[in-house]
Amino acid sequence: MPISASDGDHLRARKGANVGGGADIAAALADQFSNEPDYDREEEVKLRWKLDLRLIPILWLNIVLPAMDKITPSTAALYGFREDLDLKGEEYAWVGSAFYFGYLLWCFPSAQILQRLPIAKSMCAVMTIWGFVLIGAGFAHSFIPMIITRVLLGALEAPVAPGNFIIMTMWYTREEQPIRAGLFYTGLATLITGTCGWAVGFLPREYGWRSFFWITGGVSILYGVVVGIFLPDNPVKAKFITERERFVAIERMRADQTGIENKTFSRTQLWEVFKDPKTWLMFFFNIWVSIPNGGLTNFAPLIINGLGFSSQRSTLLMMPTGVIQTLSSYVCNFGVYYCAKRFTNMQLRGAFVIGGLMVGMIATVLLYTLPLDSYTSRLLALYWSYFYLGPYIVALGMNSANTAGHTKKVTLNAVVFGAYCVSNIIGPQFFKSAQAPLYPLGMGAMLVAYALSIVTMMLYMLYCWRENRRRDKVDDTASDQRVHADTDFQDLTDFENIHFRYVW
């Protein structure tokens, strides 16, 4: 249960006690650095730039390349993919959904992998393997082999996005996280797939879409090696920073009370995930908000093709969707960061989520109501319907920032990305082939999903606001990190830690 007044007294009496099960990996190092002189603003800024230049490009590619691999069937569909595999009825929609069955099945095992094994090395392994699987998909000649490869690809991607957010929370404070999430979580994969998809259009038909799979698979294998060499597992083991910089990196995280990493699995924290109201609010939010993604990822190229554009031109016209997604990410995440700096006593993350979702909702209404012969207007409406990405990323950042305790963090990530999978399995099923190119059922599902997302986010914000007020009544030291010795790096959860405050 959330902290009450008696809980606050109980925690204050347990100086240095660990309720979660094993201290954070930074605890011993923090004690070792206890006599280290405090760092200044110049040192912190210098370190932050060093981290940004090393980590953000890798975290960005960790998102871009899986996104590129994920949408290979939708680009391939423009070059005879459905005909060559003899896909009938709604089988193409199931090719899109199959990826997320694999993702869903492996969500919780991947959470254990992320906790028990080195994160960066695990991500290196799965990226390399999925490159080989993607190449194998290019040799498929029927529905069943393609479904198998899509399920395997989904399972292999399951640790990547959650791992990205865990790495971000190891290195960046809660104030810094939104802008970094906005920088690495973009839609720019369409610029690569659009260019590559246009180029393979010049190849003989029997090699066109297959070459697209082979090229993206080869790139993934090469990149997996890069991750293994250059991405550190955590601040304690990172070799690219000095001992002094390691001290600054760890001390910067102290006030957030979220810890760095803990390899000890805690059953108490596991069960707390499922007792936490925030878990279910964020679960259902991710169910609703990802339905547009599930539908548009697989059917947007066909919608554009249905407007009368050629296959090659359709691949190029898909590129602006990534630009809109990236714009959405920058507007929402940079907006959250700016407002947090400018208005220190205001919580506006949820407001940016709701505002961004309303943009996507309006675009979907236009896409549904505009005449079929209004080609330019319908194309622009389709582009702006991709504005959902920014709100989705802000919400993922809220989820990470509002969770403490390493077992709880990795488990909650599995729950949230499990919801993402369910939604992406459901989403394509609303887009019926017989309803092309308007897809009225799909558009209606997107509108309902946007409305439910907004309502759920409002409830999440209300819960966090009420819980913060309750904690303020029993603890007035939350903003003073000097009195946090009883809870610093003790792997306490946000429920157990009297000093923890939620962002909303």
Side-chain angles (χ1 to χ4, degrees), residues 103-250:
Y103 203 131
L104 180 61
L105 289 171
W106 204 247
C107 267
F108 286 95
S110 69
Q112 288 297 297
I113 290 172
L114 291 173
Q115 178 162 20
R116 296 180 184 275
L117 300 178
I119 290 183
K121 304 303 182 293
S122 300
M123 293 170 76
C124 162
V126 298
M127 286 176 181
T128 304
I129 295 169
W130 97 42
F132 284 105
V133 174
L134 198 58
I135 290 173
F139 291 97
H141 285 85
S142 62
F143 175 66
I144 297 299
M146 180 57 67
I147 286 290
I148 292 172
T149 61
R150 299 305 292 173
V151 172
L152 288 173
L153 286 167
L156 289 166
E157 194 189 321
V160 177
N164 250 28
F165 277 91
I166 291 172
I167 289 172
M168 181 182 70
T169 59
M170 288 180 182
W171 292 94
Y172 294 104
T173 67
R174 292 202 292 181
E175 184 183 79
E176 296 164 350
Q177 287 169 19
I179 195 170
R180 271 74 191 178
L183 285 170
F184 72 70
Y185 218 124
T186 68
L188 295 178
T190 58
L191 300 184
I192 303 173
T193 55
T195 304
C196 187
W198 172 79
V200 300
F202 292 101
L203 296 173
R205 186 188 181 282
E206 62 268 24
Y207 298 114
W209 69 264
R210 297 184 187 279
S211 298
F212 190 65
F213 280 84
W214 298 335
I215 291 168
T216 53
V219 171
S220 297
I221 293 170
L222 292 175
Y223 179 67
V225 177
V226 172
V227 170
I229 296 172
F230 293 103
L231 184 63
D233 290 308
N234 56 56
V236 175
K237 296 181 179 179
K239 296 179 180 179
F240 74 101
I241 56 176
T242 65
E243 280 300 299
R244 174 65 181 176
E245 289 171 333
R246 203 182 317 279
F247 160 72
V248 177
I250 291 172

Side-chain angles (χ1 to χ4, degrees), residues 249-263:
I250 291 172
E251 283 298 304
R252 276 166 27 88
M253 305 304 298
R254 188 181 293 274
D256 280 354
Q257 298 285 291
T258 54
I260 303 289
E261 187 180 32
N262 190 336
K263 295 299 184 185

Side-chain angles (χ1 to χ4, degrees), residues 58-371:
I58 298 176
L59 297 181
W60 177 70
L61 285 168
N62 283 358
I63 297 298
V64 167
L65 292 184
M68 181 178 73
D69 298 345
K70 214 164 4 188
I71 60 179
T72 44
S74 63
T75 303
L78 298 170
Y79 293 111
F81 172 81
R82 292 177 296 175
E83 293 78 10
D84 289 354
L85 268 61
D86 194 27
L87 301 182
K88 300 181 179 64
E90 306 306 322
E91 286 183 343
Y92 173 69
W94 283 111
V95 169
S97 295
F99 179 93
Y100 296 99
F101 278 108
Y103 203 131
L104 180 61
L105 289 171
W106 204 247
C107 267
F108 286 95
S110 69
Q112 288 297 297
I113 290 172
L114 291 173
Q115 178 162 20
R116 296 180 184 275
L117 300 178
I119 290 183
K121 304 303 182 293
S122 300
M123 293 170 76
C124 162
V126 298
M127 286 176 181
T128 304
I129 295 169
W130 97 42
F132 284 105
V133 174
L134 198 58
I135 290 173
F139 291 97
H141 285 85
S142 62
F143 175 66
I144 297 299
M146 180 57 67
I147 286 290
I148 292 172
T149 61
R150 299 305 292 173
V151 172
L152 288 173
L153 286 167
L156 289 166
E157 194 189 321
V160 177
N164 250 28
F165 277 91
I166 291 172
I167 289 172
M168 181 182 70
T169 59
M170 288 180 182
W171 292 94
Y172 294 104
T173 67
R174 292 202 292 181
E175 184 183 79
E176 296 164 350
Q177 287 169 19
I179 195 170
R180 271 74 191 178
L183 285 170
F184 72 70
Y185 218 124
T186 68
L188 295 178
T190 58
L191 300 184
I192 303 173
T193 55
T195 304
C196 187
W198 172 79
V200 300
F202 292 101
L203 296 173
R205 186 188 181 282
E206 62 268 24
Y207 298 114
W209 69 264
R210 297 184 187 279
S211 298
F212 190 65
F213 280 84
W214 298 335
I215 291 168
T216 53
V219 171
S220 297
I221 293 170
L222 292 175
Y223 179 67
V225 177
V226 172
V227 170
I229 296 172
F230 293 103
L231 184 63
D233 290 308
N234 56 56
V236 175
K237 296 181 179 179
K239 296 179 180 179
F240 74 101
I241 56 176
T242 65
E243 280 300 299
R244 174 65 181 176
E245 289 171 333
R246 203 182 317 279
F247 160 72
V248 177
I250 291 172
E251 283 298 304
R252 276 166 27 88
M253 305 304 298
R254 188 181 293 274
D256 280 354
Q257 298 285 291
T258 54
I260 303 289
E261 187 180 32
N262 190 336
K263 295 299 184 185
T264 304
F265 178 79
S266 168
R267 291 184 181 275
T268 304
Q269 291 189 17
L270 172 67
W271 290 116
E272 186 178 304
V273 170
F274 299 102
K275 294 187 291 184
D276 189 343
K278 299 195 313 304
T279 298
W280 301 109
L281 289 170
M282 196 56 75
F283 174 84
F284 283 109
F285 174 83
N286 278 274
I287 289 283
W288 318 134
V289 80
S290 295
I291 283 178
N293 180 72
L296 293 175
T297 296
N298 294 281
F299 286 90
L302 298 178
I303 292 173
I304 294 174
N305 193 223
L307 294 176
F309 298 102
S310 67
S311 296
Q312 274 189 297
R313 183 163 292 186
S314 295
T315 63
L316 294 177
L317 288 173
M318 274 297 295
M319 293 167 71
T321 63
V323 175
I324 294 298
Q325 285 183 311
T326 304
L327 176 66
S328 170
S329 177
Y330 287 175
V331 168
C332 293
N333 286 281
F334 281 59
V336 168
Y337 176 77
Y338 174 79
C339 290
K341 296 283 285 186
R342 184 73 182 270
F343 312 109
T344 54
N345 294 323
M346 293 183 66
Q347 295 276 10
L348 293 170
R349 298 191 191 212
F352 276 95
V353 172
I354 293 169
L357 291 174
M358 291 182 70
V359 173
M361 179 183 285
I362 293 168
T364 304
V365 170
L366 292 173
L367 190 60
Y368 181 71
T369 57
L370 286 169

